[in-house]
Amino acid sequence: MQSTISLEGELSKVYAIWLREFKVFLREKSRLVASTFTPILWLFVIGSGFGSANPTTIPGVSYQEFIFPGIICMSIIFSSVFYGSYIIWDRKFDFLKSVMVAPVSRGAVFVGKTLGGMTNSLIQSAILLAIGAAIGIGFTPLSIVQTFAIVLLLSFGLTSLGLALGSYMYSLEGFQMIVSFVVFPLFFLSGALFPLDHLPAWLRVLTAIDPATYGVSAMREAILNSGVQDLAVNTAILAAYTAALGLFGTYSFSRMKAV
């Protein structure tokens, strides 16, 4: 009985923190517009520009269709990792101090904030899927469910990474500089923009240790039925990365200082 009450209490605290993050997101409409505009720009400008040479090795798939799953992953990578900057803002406005002295466990704070970041990624992904349907990408109910499952896994892992990095940083400028060294390799090495079949050996090693590679490949398999590996294999590896990054985020939050 006591454990049930304790679990309900933790869940209510997680919900309260998620709700606060979601309301902040709703109030910043410019953030949603800006974070959606960039992937659309890549999809139409880069997709059409490089598409004229059609570098994809998949028969019957245009370059724009080929990069579509990668563009969804790009949106998740940038929005999730940069979400960690909100820890610094919370610290600057003393909101973090208020949360830290409240009877809320660090784990509940971490999970609530991570769910907030995942919600942002889900909304952006839903908008991009609607755009994909408009440009002729054929979705099935199963592929949509699989895509959202991959979005949840990838966004949980990368939001955890962003929050973990944010927990160690005190300067917004410093955070942006450090994170730039993280998000661009994650994106460019993921295979979002090019096939991974004929890469040099040294580049294959780098793509293999990039968690976003498995997100892109799994999503490409779900949407276009043309991933590098089987969907189950990609999803299992991505889930392992997500678990590891979640543990890293939880550990980082347990050591975080409010000021």
Side-chain angles (χ1 to χ4, degrees), residues 132 136-140 143 223:
I137 294 178
F139 295 106
T140 64
S143 70
I223 297 175

Side-chain angles (χ1 to χ4, degrees), residues 77-78 81-85 88 161-186 248:
I77 291 169
F78 280 80
V81 179
F82 275 104
Y83 186 77
S85 65
I88 299 170
L161 176 62
L163 290 173
L165 293 174
S167 71
Y168 293 108
M169 304 293 293
Y170 294 85
S171 157
L172 193 60
E173 293 78 9
F175 175 82
Q176 290 173 338
M177 187 171 292
I178 294 297
V179 165
S180 296
F181 285 105
V182 176
V183 294
F184 286 108
L186 279 173
F248 175 53

Side-chain angles (χ1 to χ4, degrees), residues 46-57:
I46 301 296
S48 300
F50 284 100
S52 58
N54 197 15
T56 172
T57 58

Side-chain angles (χ1 to χ4, degrees), residues 52-72:
S52 58
N54 197 15
T56 172
T57 58
I58 304 172
V61 175
S62 70
Y63 184 66
Q64 192 178 54
E65 292 171 334
F66 174 79
I67 67 170
F68 179 74
I71 295 301
I72 295 178

Side-chain angles (χ1 to χ4, degrees), residues 1 4 25 39 52 55 63 70 80 89 105 107-108 116 124 133 139 144 155 170 186 198 203 239:
M1 185 67 178
T4 304
F25 177 74
S52 58
Y63 184 66
S80 298
W89 282 113
S105 68
Q124 291 171 24
F139 295 106
I144 291 175
S155 63
Y170 294 85
L186 279 173
H198 305 294
L203 195 50

